[in-house]
Amino acid sequence: MAEYFPEVKKPIAYEGPNSKNPLAFKYYNPKEKVLGKTMAQHLRFAVCYWHTFRGTGADMFGSQTLFRNFRSGSDEMKIAEQTLEAAFEFYQKLGVGFWCFHDTDIAPEADTLSETNKRLDHIVSLAKKYQKNTGVKLLWGTCNLFSHPRFMAGAGTNPSPEVFAFATAKVKKALEITHELDGAGYVFWGGREGYDTLLNTDMKRELDHLALFLQMAVDYKKKIGFKGQFYIEPKPKEPTKHQYDFDSASCYAFLQHYKLVEHFKLNIEANHATLAGHTFHHELAFAAINGLLGSVDANRGDLLLGWDTDQFPTDLYDTTLAMYIILKAGGFTTGGLNFDAHVRRQSIDPIDLFYAHIGAMDAFARGLKIAEKLLKDKVFEKAIAQRYAGWNKDLGKKIESKKVSFVELAKYAEEHGEPKLQSGRQELLENILNDYIK
Ligand code: XLS
Ligand code: CA
Ligand code: CA
């Protein structure tokens, strides 16, 4: 067997916060128990195939900067095999339990669907062996319905039924291989399911078609006996100007309207939340209160750049508040933290992939432990309970139990005059949060 990451001689180990070793975890201790589960069970880290093994560093202004030894040679399938081998070496050395991929990440598309599917079958049979030998599992699979020119106007929302049919064929196969690899889930990200201008778009028809497309996927999932969780991944824009799966709230409305809600949860990506003008915290909280919190694409954007920069998560406020919501919602079941993130264009060495993931894993491990303390001390729960205390007294109770109408309430307001106001205490709560993030 070839070794693709010889710079990392042994699996990354936990050495504690005082370690100066850049190839060690300072906070992520997979076996350490937090609230009755190990850190590994809570965090369910996954490495994404597309950025980490297929990323080239190319951007709109410049070409490839990331050259990897596993991509050497000219035989496409040989490169696909080498890449898979390198990926599993990386997962093992890093010590993550899961991976995620798009169909096109693992096997290059051929000239016909049947040839493409044969290529996928070959790579999937190898992946199955690697999974068995390493114990690394598939967090979710997905289908790339956005890179090929045939999908320039979308897949399930394409104006052409021919393209719609082609897209179903791709998803059918992607579901089969995800099932074959015993994936815990399957993601639908509407890469080009949206529009650039309404001057050429029948929005109603496109939304109806998207729902049809997803319903067919639900039916096929049942047919093949795939038990993994389906997720929709919200994103407001990019590549299209307006995407239908804009944010958690619009996905929820769509799923309810088309009676699909029982079949889906959400895969919330931090960078997509901020592109939608929300915080990561908001998107997770909205999903959680509506029973839709499924999985997370753990990354971050850049406040000064208005696009999907997919950087590795390092912000302790983000990781703390994310883990706080996830723990409060009962923790992950099928989902996990997938690093849908890529190293910067100038981070050209393979070792940078390790630094990036180690830092991100440590940032979430710290977030987990801080969130545990916040929850144990009921920091926000106490403040929130006090702020809403009126709802547990006479008037509040009457309103919540639907015993009063505008008529009684207007009378009450007239009799009692101006309501007494209370401080929201935002600054105090922010200070307390800072005290916990040490
Ligand atoms: C792109 C998305 C994509 C999905 C999977 O912005 O994040 O990578 O996670 O198709
Ligand atoms: Ca993503
Ligand atoms: Ca992204």
Side-chain angles (χ1 to χ4, degrees):
M1 257 176 78
E3 191 182 25
Y4 297 98
F5 299 99
E7 314 82 333
V8 177
K9 307 232 163 7
K10 50 182 177 32
I12 307 297
Y14 169 72
E15 292 186 5
N18 296 326
S19 168
K20 295 275 178 277
N21 177 3
L23 289 174
F25 295 117
K26 320 278 186 303
Y27 299 92
Y28 178 58
N29 183 4
K31 296 208 174 85
E32 184 180 329
K33 285 260 172 91
V34 176
L35 296 171
K37 286 202 280 188
T38 64
M39 280 199 180
Q41 287 166 335
H42 272 294
L43 298 165
R44 293 169 61 86
F45 290 128
V47 169
C48 89
Y49 210 90
W50 49 103
H51 288 315
T52 299
F53 305 107
R54 307 267 302 146
T56 64
D59 69 12
M60 287 210 280
F61 302 95
S63 60
Q64 179 164 12
T65 59
L66 308 176
F67 297 88
R68 308 294 191 205
N69 54 11
F70 47 84
R71 288 199 293 249
S72 63
S74 53
D75 177 344
E76 281 188 313
M77 282 306 283
K78 186 95 195 103
I79 293 173
E81 288 172 7
Q82 287 169 188
T83 306
L84 190 75
E85 194 179 3
F88 276 85
E89 180 189 329
F90 186 83
Y91 305 151
Q92 272 198 296
K93 286 187 169 169
L94 184 63
V96 287
F98 298 92
W99 66 305
C100 295
F101 70 87
H102 298 86
D103 51 355
T104 50
D105 300 332
I106 56 170
E109 273 197 76
D111 291 338
T112 63
L113 260 175
S114 69
E115 189 50 35
T116 300
N117 290 349
K118 265 190 219 148
R119 290 179 170 195
L120 277 168
D121 287 337
H122 171 63
I123 298 292
V124 166
S125 71
L126 297 178
K128 212 173 166 178
K129 282 189 202 136
Y130 287 122
Q131 287 194 161
K132 191 159 177 272
N133 295 342
T134 59
V136 175
K137 297 186 173 115
L138 180 61
L139 189 69
W140 48 261
T142 188
C143 183
N144 182 327
L145 298 171
F146 44 90
S147 294
H148 195 282
R150 77 173 79 85
F151 296 125
M152 67 180 186
T157 62
N158 201 287
S160 152
E162 308 287 327
V163 179
F164 184 101
F166 206 100
T168 65
K170 300 282 288 174
V171 172
K172 176 176 174 287
K173 185 68 184 172
L175 285 171
E176 289 163 6
I177 60 176
T178 301
H179 184 33
E180 177 72 13
L181 292 170
D182 205 18
Y186 183 91
V187 164
F188 293 86
W189 169 59
R192 293 186 192 271
E193 312 292 28
Y195 62 82
D196 293 324
T197 172
L198 284 175
L199 300 181
N200 65 11
T201 302
D202 185 339
M203 177 153 53
K204 164 89 171 74
R205 208 162 195 178
E206 292 203 355
L207 286 165
D208 287 350
H209 291 173
L210 184 57
L212 257 173
F213 190 84
L214 294 174
Q215 183 60 55
M216 286 185 204
V218 167
D219 295 343
Y220 193 65
K221 173 186 193 234
K222 276 194 200 136
K223 190 178 159 88
I224 61 174
F226 173 51
K227 297 274 183 303
Q229 175 65 50
F230 271 2
Y231 308 105
I232 294 204
E233 183 178 321
K235 185 174 182 179
K237 58 187 170 191
E238 216 195 288
T240 62
K241 170 171 148 170
H242 182 101
Q243 297 200 185
Y244 296 131
D245 49 11
F246 192 95
D247 61 0
S248 301
S250 46
C251 288
Y252 187 36
F254 171 86
L255 290 169
Q256 281 180 308
H257 178 73
Y258 289 100
K259 305 201 169 22
L260 286 163
V261 75
E262 66 184 286
H263 305 293
F264 288 86
K265 288 193 173 167
L266 301 179
N267 180 41
I268 303 289
E269 179 176 315
N271 202 166
H272 296 180
T274 49
L275 282 176
H278 299 306
T279 57
F280 185 26
H281 191 189
H282 167 92
E283 284 293 85
L284 292 168
F286 183 88
I289 59 173
N290 291 296
L292 291 171
L293 184 52
S295 203
V296 167
D297 272 5
N299 62 12
R300 73 175 206 273
D302 187 308
L303 278 182
L304 304 182
L305 297 171
W307 66 88
D308 194 15
T309 59
D310 284 343
Q311 285 163 251
F312 278 86
T314 52
D315 185 320
L316 293 182
Y317 288 91
D318 270 354
T319 62
T320 297
L321 294 173
M323 289 318 300
Y324 170 80
I325 299 287
I326 292 163
L327 288 179
K328 249 183 105 82
F332 289 123
T333 52
T334 52
L337 294 168
N338 169 45
F339 295 118
D340 187 356
H342 55 93
V343 290
R344 298 304 87 191
R345 198 162 181 264
Q346 298 175 55
S347 303
I348 57 176
D349 298 332
I351 198 83
D352 291 313
L353 293 172
F354 280 91
Y355 296 145
H357 283 88
I358 291 169
M361 290 162 79
D362 267 346
F364 267 95
R366 285 174 85 173
L368 171 66
K369 293 191 74 168
I370 300 164
E372 177 200 22
K373 282 201 211 107
L374 287 166
L375 281 167
K376 275 192 175 155
D377 295 350
K378 297 195 172 20
V379 173
F380 304 127
E381 284 75 4
K382 280 186 198 156
I384 290 171
Q386 199 185 332
R387 192 158 182 241
Y388 291 80
W391 292 95
N392 300 328
K393 295 186 192 136
D394 287 356
L395 177 65
K397 273 191 187 159
K398 265 189 209 152
I399 301 173
E400 282 193 347
S401 59
K402 300 178 183 154
K403 289 206 176 101
V404 283
S405 68
F406 268 21
V407 178
E408 292 83 18
L409 291 177
K411 189 159 174 274
Y412 180 97
E414 265 168 38
E415 283 168 13
H416 289 78
E418 270 310 313
K420 196 166 162 259
L421 303 184
Q422 62 171 330
S423 166
R425 296 269 185 269
Q426 181 171 335
E427 295 77 8
L428 172 64
L429 291 167
E430 286 168 349
N431 295 351
I432 296 174
L433 177 59
N434 261 356
D435 288 341
Y436 276 77
I437 300 183
K438 306 198 222 245

